[in-house]
Amino acid sequence: QVQLVESGGGSVQVGGSPRLSCAHSRWSYPYYCMAWFRQSPGKEREGIAAIDSDGRTTYADAVMGRFTITKDKAANVLYLQMNNLKPEDTGMYFCAAGVGTVVAAHIRLQAFFYNHWGQGTQVTVS
């Protein structure tokens, strides 16, 4: 059973730089991809950053150059460093994992690929 628990959200000022964390249960899958999604008020859930088991990263245009996704394999924690936050970054941020298979780059930000989700952490930028 894969479990994901996000933390690090809260109220942040415009221009702030918080870091989100996603602690996950240990697994033995050699291939996987993990990602951060967000759902802003009135919008659909969107993939914003992903990292696969080989360390390859993918970013949505909206966060490119401002957000960085990393993974501490030893500690089983996924991070999202967010810089220069804007009001439009407000939303619920979800951690997701798709395990057991290699994923093509154009799929990494697609929600349908991920079969494990955290409960989310709210980020409010004002």
Side-chain angles (χ1 to χ4, degrees):
Q1 182 76 15
V2 175
Q3 294 181 326
L4 307 170
V5 180
E6 303 96 335
S7 61
S11 296
V12 186
Q13 291 186 335
V14 171
S17 299
R19 187 177 73 166
L20 303 183
S21 300
C22 172
H24 66 83
S25 50
R26 187 177 300 276
W27 60 55
S28 59
Y29 303 101
Y31 303 110
Y32 58 85
C33 192
M34 296 192 74
W36 288 97
F37 285 74
R38 75 179 174 199
Q39 188 160 17
S40 301
K43 296 185 178 181
E44 295 185 356
R45 190 175 299 189
E46 62 174 340
I48 57 173
I51 185 168
D52 72 4
S53 46
D54 289 329
R56 291 172 292 200
T57 56
T58 305
Y59 294 95
D61 289 344
V63 305
M64 182 79 72
R66 298 189 299 125
F67 292 10
T68 302
I69 186 171
T70 57
K71 190 178 188 307
D72 185 332
K73 291 186 176 182
N76 297 315
V77 181
L78 179 74
Y79 297 103
L80 183 68
Q81 177 65 50
M82 303 188 290
N83 296 325
N84 190 23
L85 281 183
K86 306 174 181 179
E88 52 263 42
D89 293 318
T90 292
M92 185 70 80
Y93 284 71
F94 298 90
C95 172
V99 299
T101 185
V102 176
V103 57
H106 70 284
I107 299 295
R108 291 181 198 143
L109 296 182
Q110 303 299 316
F112 73 83
F113 170 76
Y114 296 91
N115 48 2
H116 302 284
W117 293 84
Q119 294 300 307
T121 185
Q122 177 69 33
V123 175
T124 302
V125 185
S126 61

